[in-house]
Amino acid sequence: MSDVSDVTHDRSVPLPMPRVGPVGEHAPKPIRVVLNWGRRYSLWVFNFGLACCAIEFIAASMGRHDFIRLGVIPFAPGPRQADLMVVSGTVTDKMAPAIRRLYDQMPEPKYVISFGACSNSGGPYWDSYSVTKGVDQLIPVDVYVPGCPPRPEALLHGIIRLQEQIAGERLSGRAIAERLGGAGRLGPADGEGAAAPRYTAHRTGSAAEVTRARVEPPR
Amino acid sequence: MSTDVSTDELHDVAPADWHGAVAAAHATGFTFFDWLSAVDRTYDEAAPGYDVVLRALALQRRDSVTGDQVAGVHGIRIATRVPEGASLASVTDVYAGAAWHERETHEMFGVEFEGFDDGSGSGLRPLLLPDGFEGTPLRKSFVLAARASKQWPGGKEPGEGHDSAKSPSRRRVQAPGVPDPSWGPRES
């Protein structure tokens, strides 16, 4: 029994900071353009569907809207083979550690689209005791798609925006560390050895990090 | 003729008779456990507490008087009012499936169940709430953290905009979970 609870209770595990290969990092501009061009039109997508927005995501992947024509491929076998995560639906505090864990499993470079009001900010459940106030509390988000739920066209627009972003980006280990640094916070459990900020930011989050303490009336 | 569409038998019992009433229902054919939950009635000044309600179904049943087979599925609802802080006898020995419902009722309303046993020996532990959650969120007295820090931008609270002398006291019309005015002004 104790082995099982060790796995399910999400402990904070320090991981090595992912980096870009030296060729990719120091490539001259024409090569970078080609690399980015390949990257933007081959986005294997991992649908983190949590609620009704996931239906709109599925609609966007089907014949009428067909985001495969934009190079978004919805057949990633799992997060470890995906480049883009679309969080569509209501993120709850109970689900939060799982989202963080699967995001951490994705290889760099990785991108996140927050799809719908709930994953942007909590949406209509903004005051619920169990709903996370936006997935950006857990992971860095590249593009927010507003709506409740957004139409499939809105997702297509969000994908095009993300592709524009990818076309202009310059990948470097430092940029990745800075991006992940915004989402990961150091806890006391990380210990002394985890002090260098560049390497500590990337780690799995624990449930306690996203759970708020009980609110008491003022005295 | 009653307008109540439910054909459930309704029983209100004292907390001390709770386990006996549930066991008796099970013995008379209500063998299909439907659900168990609680209702916050702490605002009831005559008997403040939590109404623990159990519903069970009888799929095949004989009339207790004539002994004839009664057609259709029959429901029974047994309710008891548990005062704040008191505990109730667990019915997991009658309906094993009630264990999940008792765990949920315990974490959401803070109602204690004595003699709870789901075969794991781990007792009444949280079922649905995330690790480290403090409080019992379905109690009316539970204040929502988001409401305490920020006002609903639309201003659509019950009673808002009707703040005249004629309206009932503001506290009464306030939605559960919303901090009362004694918390001071919030960011809007």
Side-chain angles (χ1 to χ4, degrees):
Chain A
M1 278 309 280
S2 64
D3 291 341
V4 172
S5 65
D6 275 357
V7 173
T8 51
H9 288 83
D10 205 313
R11 283 173 307 163
S12 157
V13 180
L15 298 173
M17 176 59 70
R19 35 190 209 92
V20 185
V23 179
E25 190 157 349
H26 302 293
K29 198 173 178 223
I31 303 295
R32 223 171 51 231
V33 168
V34 173
L35 287 175
N36 286 348
W37 175 78
R39 210 169 269 138
R40 69 190 280 205
Y41 292 123
S42 171
L43 288 167
W44 289 72
V45 65
F46 165 48
N47 178 21
F48 212 110
L50 293 166
C52 34
C53 283
I55 305 297
E56 299 296 318
F57 175 93
I58 295 162
S61 73
M62 301 308 285
R64 180 179 289 265
H65 301 285
D66 190 20
F67 61 32
I68 302 182
R69 69 200 156 95
L70 301 174
V72 179
I73 307 163
F75 306 122
R80 290 169 198 233
Q81 287 82 18
D83 307 298
L84 166 64
M85 177 154 104
V86 177
V87 183
S88 45
T90 317
V91 182
T92 57
D93 290 348
K94 186 89 171 177
M95 182 56 88
I99 293 177
R100 179 72 209 200
R101 168 172 289 195
L102 296 187
Y103 174 78
D104 286 337
Q105 288 181 0
M106 286 166 65
E108 289 285 347
K110 52 189 169 187
Y111 309 96
V112 176
I113 292 181
S114 169
F115 185 67
C118 288
S119 62
N120 289 345
S121 67
Y125 312 109
W126 69 283
D127 63 348
S128 162
Y129 60 89
S130 59
V131 173
T132 306
K133 315 306 176 234
V135 74
D136 51 5
Q137 296 193 350
L138 314 166
I139 55 178
V141 175
D142 295 286
V143 174
Y144 298 86
V145 180
C148 185
R151 287 190 57 84
E153 292 92 326
L155 179 60
L156 299 181
H157 185 69
I159 289 166
I160 290 168
R161 276 298 169 88
L162 178 67
Q163 288 174 337
E164 286 168 3
Q165 213 170 299
I166 294 170
E169 83 178 345
R170 187 201 176 106
L171 275 180
S172 68
R174 179 177 292 278
I176 292 170
E178 275 167 14
R179 177 154 54 81
L180 294 172
R185 276 165 293 162
L186 270 184
D190 293 325
E192 283 297 310
R198 188 172 162 185
Y199 295 99
T200 47
H202 184 70
R203 56 187 194 79
T204 56
S206 68
E209 279 175 64
V210 294
T211 308
R212 294 163 302 280
R214 185 172 183 177
V215 180
E216 299 291 348
R219 309 214 179 273
Chain B
M1 194 65 198
S2 164
T3 52
D4 187 3
V5 291
S6 170
T7 56
D8 286 2
E9 284 180 38
L10 303 178
H11 296 278
D12 263 318
V13 298
D17 305 331
W18 168 253
H19 188 275
V22 173
H26 184 271
T28 51
F30 292 98
T31 52
F32 187 103
F33 173 76
D34 190 1
W35 49 261
L36 179 151
S37 191
V39 186
D40 189 329
R41 301 275 195 208
T42 44
Y43 59 84
D44 183 353
E45 278 154 22
Y50 299 90
D51 271 358
V52 177
V53 188
L54 177 141
R55 184 167 191 255
L57 299 171
L59 304 180
Q60 290 176 331
R61 190 157 169 264
R62 294 191 177 278
D63 192 286
S64 55
V65 180
T66 60
D68 296 337
Q69 185 83 35
V70 185
V73 174
H74 293 264
I76 189 170
R77 256 182 287 163
I78 308 168
T80 185
R81 173 104 17 123
V82 187
E84 176 92 58
S87 68
L88 192 64
S90 171
V91 295
T92 46
D93 54 337
V94 183
Y95 300 106
W100 278 354
H101 297 252
E102 287 189 354
R103 276 169 67 188
E104 186 185 349
T105 307
H106 175 251
E107 70 178 348
M108 294 295 179
F109 292 94
V111 177
E112 293 289 340
F113 290 95
E114 228 169 88
F116 172 86
D117 177 27
D118 63 350
S120 71
S122 308
L124 281 163
R125 58 207 182 281
L127 174 69
L128 302 170
L129 291 176
D131 289 351
F133 192 93
E134 292 174 55
T136 46
L138 290 193
R139 283 190 179 189
K140 286 185 195 291
S141 60
F142 183 86
V143 174
L144 300 164
R147 289 276 187 170
S149 63
K150 198 160 173 63
Q151 211 155 15
W152 171 241
K156 294 278 189 254
E157 299 303 345
E160 223 166 46
H162 306 280
D163 220 1
S164 69
K166 274 186 286 182
S167 68
S169 79
R170 194 170 158 73
R171 226 187 121 70
R172 273 191 77 90
V173 295
Q174 206 153 33
V178 179
D180 61 52
S182 72
W183 286 56
R186 283 161 286 155
E187 183 199 334
S188 55

